[in-house]
Amino acid sequence: ARHPPGRRANPTPGPPRGARTARRGTSGGPCLRRGAMAPSRIAWPLLLQGLLAAPLAAQSQSSMKGEWGQEVLGCRCNGRKGTHGYCGYHFHWGSQEDKPWCRTMHGCGNSGLKGAWIHCDDRAVERRRGDDGKHYNSKEMKDFYGDKGKDKWTGAEKYIERRMAKNGQAYTVFQFRDYYIDAL
């Protein structure tokens, strides 16, 4: 099943880590260990998890709809209008994607808790020059430099790849998108 950026499937089913369970005492009745959770306290999180699972599963479905609800071939990234509006590898605690993605306009794409999103072409991702003179996107920089990848990425902010547009101006990938987006 697909999971939107920021949401992962629970890799270890069962009670939450650190939960203690009831056991039988010498008299045959339940005997709770010190600090153990009562069975009803265990059932509540499981019930809640079950109730939330259905809406989350439904949210991972894709909807390729445009501004007026018409079927469309692809989705348009939000651009500078909001967080994660440009195509990229948006690394944070809940997202370690192997493919770039962006938040989309008009609810197009996959539904998520923070809005619609879609995977996008890795050629539309910002690249910066590394120490070896080659350009890397943030994922490649992270993979190539390991633990130092984030520092290398932020340190290369002055060395963002630029390309020439038809007007003779050099633009970053995001500026390029903003320049050409209305020409489509």
Side-chain angles (χ1 to χ4, degrees), residues 81-99:
K81 292 181 182 177
T83 306
H84 307 133
Y86 288 113
C87 190
Y89 298 94
H90 307 287
F91 297 119
H92 50 81
W93 69 268
S95 177
Q96 299 293 321
E97 298 292 319
D98 289 331
K99 293 178 72 178

Side-chain angles (χ1 to χ4, degrees), residues 4-153:
R7 300 285 168 224
R8 297 276 188 207
N10 183 2
T12 55
R17 177 182 261 179
R20 294 183 174 91
T21 57
R23 64 179 180 172
R24 294 275 173 203
T26 56
S27 64
C31 172
L32 298 177
R33 289 184 272 179
R34 190 178 115 208
M37 294 174 64
S40 63
R41 294 184 78 182
I42 293 171
W44 177 246
L46 294 175
L47 177 62
L48 187 59
Q49 180 182 5
L51 292 173
L52 292 176
L56 289 175
Q59 287 181 352
S60 66
Q61 295 178 358
S62 182
S63 170
M64 301 298 277
K65 300 291 181 185
E67 184 175 3
W68 300 284
Q70 80 279 13
E71 189 173 322
V72 293
L73 178 63
C75 300
R76 181 172 162 186
C77 293
N78 280 334
R80 71 174 79 193
K81 292 181 182 177
T83 306
H84 307 133
Y86 288 113
C87 190
Y89 298 94
H90 307 287
F91 297 119
H92 50 81
W93 69 268
S95 177
Q96 299 293 321
E97 298 292 319
D98 289 331
K99 293 178 72 178
W101 61 275
C102 67
R103 297 277 176 210
T104 59
M105 302 177 96
H106 317 302
C108 185
N110 302 301
S111 294
L113 294 175
K114 293 187 175 183
W117 63 277
I118 194 97
H119 284 118
C120 40
D121 193 321
D122 60 352
R123 294 175 294 178
V125 176
E126 180 177 89
R127 298 182 338 151
R128 299 178 183 180
R129 192 172 62 223
D131 294 339
D132 59 358
K134 296 179 183 177
H135 284 98
Y136 297 94
N137 62 44
S138 59
K139 181 176 181 347
E140 293 168 336
M141 189 88 66
K142 180 181 169 193
D143 292 344
F144 187 81
Y145 290 105
D147 292 341
K148 296 179 182 177
K150 182 178 179 181
D151 294 333
K152 294 284 187 181
W153 178 257

